[in-house]
Amino acid sequence: MIVSGSDGNLYWDNLEGQLTGSLYKTKWVSWTDTEFDDDGETNHEPGILFDTDNNIYWADVQWNQAHVFSGSNIIPTYSEDTNEGCIWVYQLTDDQKTTIENDAQFIAKLVDSNL
Amino acid sequence: MGVPSTGLLSLKGIFNEVAVNNYSSTKSPENASLTDLSDGTEGAINQTQLPHNRPDGNQPHAMSEFYAYDNNADYPGLFGDDWEDGDIGDGSRTNFHTLGHELAESGDLDSSELNVSFVDNSNGFLAPGTFDDRPVWTHSPSNPSLDTDNDVRFTNTNSPQGNWLKSTDWTSVSWAGALTTATMAFAYRWRFFMNSTNNKDGIIDVRMNTTNHPNPGISTQTYQIQVRDNADPQTGAVRLARRSSTSVTTLAQSPSGAYTIGTTMDFVFSVHEATTFGNPRTLKVGVGPTTVSTPAIINSYNKVSAVDTNYVTNYGWNFRSPKAMSTPSSTHFHKYSFIYTTIVTV
């Protein structure tokens, strides 16, 4: 489903409107996980949903990486170079939206509701 | 040629299908016994055939039980194992002609669902060359092991890289090459159980190259499906991530409860190719009841969905658990009953 963002771009919602989604641009955070390997693995997570003090997600929500239209194709919004990207977050409460928009990793809200 | 699926059947034709793999053979048996044909006395019944397409071996016998039976057809999936031969994968395996597959045998799915779920695909791009053979697996030294139900069980270990079980004789399959329409999906289905007080996540690695990570159990490029345990605030959440060497980027995550810990549920990882917008590839994970068909889990029990085109060729499969799982191992484990891979219509 194609959704227009407040930045003028068109975004792809691959859940096709099955759930109410909001689109956010966020900085990404990295942390070292040693649960599965003592040598550690570097995990990359969307900053607005991740609690870096405890290395867990603070919000119990469904989300996925978002893609943006470039010409007639869709391309990833997440860039490892800038460590920024957009994510669709579904079924958010108003309180959760407020928390996200006050998060240090928050960059922009591009879509408040896809429906 | 197998037995017709409708119409009148001849006992001569059934005999010839069992005896020489050809229902239409002109051979004329002198003595053909329906009992001997049905119970395997005349020749072993091909267990790769779905239960509704072969005789059940029980009295009363009926010629109609042979509708659509094919004595020499291979298993209709691309890759699968249920370890029902009592071998975790490093010994001499018993083929599907002899034992069939648990997903088909257990009666979990009715005939119409099986017909949809088990789509025969003869591309032949997966080793070991015929779909009758079980895979070869390699596993970490201490465990996993098979339990008394022939399920693969992961328990506590002190190994710094945990435990793993990976397939090793799978050559490769290109998802883009195998899927020719947007209504097709490449589907991997497995049955999973995690104790409600397990305290360790479970991981599946969809291996997308053959270079070993420092951990010999996995490769440097994978799609990773993680099930969060009771110690995580999002118990039962499913995470889909992409690995590149030691860097793991989350693509999507479900809320808690996608998987209900302490229960046996079927997972389906499915791959979908689009034909528009630059042909993006969508990866989905569904978690549903054991009695629901694979297309239904994809369509009605989806938990996460992400677009990603970084990797396209699948080289194998890996089940994995971390070290330091809770004990005793009798009540703290991950369990996998089977895996089955096919192409379905959705």
Side-chain angles (χ1 to χ4, degrees), chain B residues 54-102:
Chain B
R54 56 177 155 85
D56 62 12
N58 299 321
Q59 295 275 7
H61 303 301
M63 288 171 64
S64 59
E65 295 178 14
F66 282 90
Y67 274 132
Y69 176 71
D70 193 328
N71 196 60
N72 61 339
D74 279 337
Y75 193 57
L78 298 173
F79 171 89
D81 208 344
D82 57 6
W83 302 279
E84 286 301 303
D85 59 343
D87 189 321
I88 199 167
D90 53 3
S92 299
R93 310 302 308 275
T94 302
N95 63 32
F96 290 116
H97 277 154
T98 305
L99 284 177
H101 188 280
E102 184 175 353

Side-chain angles (χ1 to χ4, degrees), chain A residues 26-112:
Chain A
T26 176
K27 296 174 187 172
W28 283 61
V29 295
S30 301
W31 65 288
T32 301
D33 184 4
T34 57
E35 180 174 8
F36 279 84
D37 191 326
D38 280 3
D39 291 336
E41 300 171 334
T42 304
N43 282 338
H44 306 281
E45 319 279 5
I48 54 173
L49 297 181
F50 202 72
D51 174 358
T52 51
D53 288 337
N54 299 296
N55 288 331
I56 56 174
Y57 280 82
W58 66 265
D60 188 12
V61 294
Q62 181 169 348
W63 70 270
N64 53 249
Q65 289 194 25
H67 285 60
V68 64
F69 275 84
S70 174
S72 58
N73 297 338
I74 62 170
I75 60 174
T77 57
Y78 171 62
S79 165
E80 293 181 8
D81 294 335
T82 62
N83 217 27
E84 296 178 356
C86 300
I87 61 172
W88 286 104
V89 191
Y90 299 97
Q91 310 285 67
L92 282 170
T93 66
D94 288 341
D95 286 346
Q96 288 172 324
K97 288 181 178 180
T98 300
T99 302
I100 285 173
E101 288 167 32
N102 288 320
D103 192 278
Q105 312 304 322
F106 171 83
I107 297 175
K109 179 165 71 175
L110 303 175
V111 174
D112 185 62

